[in-house]
Amino acid sequence: MMQRRELLHAGAVVLLLGRSELAHSANTRNAPSIVAVRVWPAQDYSRVTLESDAPLHAKQTFISQPPRLAVDIDNLTLNPTLRELVAKVQADDPNIAGIRVGQYTKSVVRLVIDLKQAIEPQVFALKPIEPYQHRLVFDLYPKVSTDPLTALIAEQLRQTQEADKKLPPVVNGPTGGKGTVGTGHAVPEVIDPLAELMARQGKASTPDAQSTHATSSTQPGNIPPELIRESTSGTNRLIIIALDPGHGGEDPGAIGRRGTREKDVVLRLARQLRDRINASQVNGHTLRAFLTRDGDFFVPLHVRVNKARQVKADLFVSIHADAFYTPRPQGASVFALSHGGASSSAARWMAAKENKADLIGGVNIETQDVQVQRALLDMSTSAQIRDSLQLGGAMLQEIGRVGKLHKPRVEQAGFAVLKAPDIPSVLVEAAFISNPTEEARLNSASYQAQLADALMKGIEAYFAKNPPLARTRSL
């Protein structure tokens, strides 16, 4: 009798083990598998993306000392693709020091992201959208972020100091008092636009008023008072032009037949235009370019608008490269915002395509204040659209001198990225990347230089007819 019971017990154990193995085998068959991994480093934030053939479920913990993010991903087996993530980290990544991965338990993979500084992590999942399957995204934002206006001021200050070093020394003597050089000739007044920038932030620009902030000068948004030089004439101010290279990071934009990615060519073009802007003046006013992205990373549409507003931009120019289903269309286009319907079916289609960037690039919807964003995007004014059309017309005329135009007039549609309520804004489609001839031209350094020259002339022509308004100082 005892022997029979032992045999029955042993059989039950074998049966249970068999069912367990079958269940594990079934779970393994249904478990997601990593198909691609990517790391996108940037000063704004660093992104880590895990792409899989089924949804991933993760739990994360942030450890402050030393800073690192530990992530446990359920129902996942470590595979060679996921192991590649370790080698994806670049040495100059401003936020990520390294990544470690391992099979923590039979069904859990642990991923540890070692960090260079304290961060505010955002972990979220994205549903499939062409060309991606399921994505699990880790956005690592520095806790102490760089204020874009402060960075712009610092860059202008650096260049001003370099220019000052090249000037002849100022001396005091019988032939030349204050404001003259040794030859006795008067030195033209050099108006530093930094003070104007500070005034535009609502900060006092006199040494006495600034002295109370000396102890906090290293904080974002503050500049040491001894570096601010006030102009007495107030006739010059810094004109800031926000350049917005489209797409970036997870969002490659349109891709030409030879593999040219829109996000790459528009960034190169934006940098060329930036160099021209920074070397120019209009009506005696200093120009300064600000890029919404100066690297290969994704920037949501509303963030592009917010960045331009943060630096108090006078103009906003979003740069793209057009694409269509067939290779025949060609020529450049310029778009402005429309209060009502689009000016053509092509403009409506183009706006819909560009407005999908957030879905492809990947936005954490849970962090978006929908009402605030809707309010921002509904505040555009008739005056902004009128000025945008003038800017677009000036650019279109100059572009037509160096290449073909797709349409001879500025088109209008509901582009989300053009909805800054107080900044004249245009979107330039430089050429059709889907057209093999124009794809080759976009990759040509000489054509990019011609196009940058044309855009610069368009900006200058706009300001010739629309001089920048003087700013009232806040003292």
Side-chain angles (χ1 to χ4, degrees), residues 362-389:
V363 172
N364 184 7
I365 297 176
E366 293 181 0
T367 65
Q368 307 305 313
D369 187 328
V370 177
Q371 292 183 341
V372 171
Q373 298 309 327
R374 184 179 294 119
L376 170 65
L377 299 183
D378 287 343
M379 285 169 57
S380 54
T381 64
S382 298
Q384 186 259 25
I385 293 176
R386 181 192 65 233
D387 290 343
S388 299
L389 289 170

Side-chain angles (χ1 to χ4, degrees), residues 16 61 72 161 169 181 192 216 243 261 323 335 341-342 356 384 404 416 430 453 456-457:
L16 288 172
T61 303
D72 287 344
Q161 290 174 332
V181 295
D192 192 340
S216 59
L243 301 180
R261 300 181 301 185
F335 295 87
K356 285 179 61 179
Q384 186 259 25
K404 293 184 178 180
D453 286 339
M456 185 69 236
K457 290 178 182 177

Side-chain angles (χ1 to χ4, degrees), residues 406-424:
H406 185 63
K407 290 289 181 68
R409 69 181 188 278
V410 180
E411 295 262 45
Q412 291 181 262
F415 290 88
V417 79
L418 299 182
K419 294 185 177 181
D422 45 2
I423 308 172

Side-chain angles (χ1 to χ4, degrees), residues 128-142:
I129 183 172
E130 187 66 30
Y132 299 117
Q133 300 186 55
H134 296 271
R135 285 175 288 170
L136 183 63
V137 177
F138 309 89
D139 281 350
L140 310 172
Y141 290 88

Side-chain angles (χ1 to χ4, degrees), residues 137-377:
V137 177
F138 309 89
D139 281 350
L140 310 172
Y141 290 88
K143 279 194 172 182
V144 180
S145 59
T146 302
D147 177 70
L149 187 56
T150 301
L152 195 65
I153 293 172
E155 174 61 19
Q156 175 65 17
L157 175 62
R158 183 187 65 79
Q159 294 197 5
T160 301
Q161 290 174 332
E162 289 181 356
D164 286 347
K165 291 178 182 178
K166 298 177 182 179
L167 293 174
V170 176
V171 297
N172 293 320
T175 58
K178 185 177 180 181
T180 61
V181 295
T183 59
H185 297 298
V187 178
E189 181 183 16
V190 178
I191 302 170
D192 192 340
L194 296 177
E196 182 58 44
L197 257 179
M198 297 300 290
R200 291 167 71 181
Q201 295 182 89
K203 297 182 182 295
S205 55
T206 60
D208 290 341
Q210 285 285 343
S211 61
T212 57
H213 300 286
T215 56
S216 59
S217 61
T218 58
Q219 297 301 315
N222 291 313
I223 298 298
E226 63 272 13
L227 300 181
I228 305 301
R229 291 176 297 170
E230 181 63 75
S231 164
T232 57
S233 70
T235 58
N236 187 13
R237 72 174 180 86
L238 196 63
I239 298 174
I240 300 175
I241 301 169
L243 301 180
D244 176 50
H247 310 282
E250 290 284 290
D251 177 18
I255 300 177
R257 291 194 170 188
R258 298 179 183 177
T260 304
R261 300 181 301 185
E262 180 181 2
K263 67 175 182 178
D264 297 329
V265 294
V266 299
L267 180 57
R268 292 200 296 269
L269 179 57
R271 285 171 173 167
Q272 287 211 33
L273 181 54
R274 174 191 60 190
D275 294 343
R276 286 158 173 77
I277 290 172
N278 290 348
S280 301
Q281 287 192 344
V282 292
N283 301 324
H285 301 291
T286 301
L287 297 183
R288 178 63 56 210
F290 168 79
L291 267 62
T292 59
R293 71 174 179 96
D294 195 10
D296 188 9
F297 62 99
F298 174 69
V299 183
L301 296 175
H302 78 275
V303 174
R304 296 170 186 265
V305 177
N306 287 342
K307 281 186 168 188
R309 300 191 76 202
Q310 280 181 295
V311 299
K312 313 293 184 185
D314 293 277
L315 298 178
F316 180 90
V317 181
S318 191
I319 303 175
H320 294 255
D322 215 338
F324 199 65
Y325 297 113
T326 66
R328 189 175 64 177
Q330 57 183 315
S333 305
V334 178
F335 295 87
L337 188 64
S338 171
H339 257 323
S343 58
S344 68
S345 58
R348 185 183 306 107
W349 179 84
M350 182 60 62
K353 181 176 73 72
E354 296 295 356
N355 290 347
K356 285 179 61 179
D358 280 356
L359 296 177
I360 299 171
V363 172
N364 184 7
I365 297 176
E366 293 181 0
T367 65
Q368 307 305 313
D369 187 328
V370 177
Q371 292 183 341
V372 171
Q373 298 309 327
R374 184 179 294 119
L376 170 65
L377 299 183

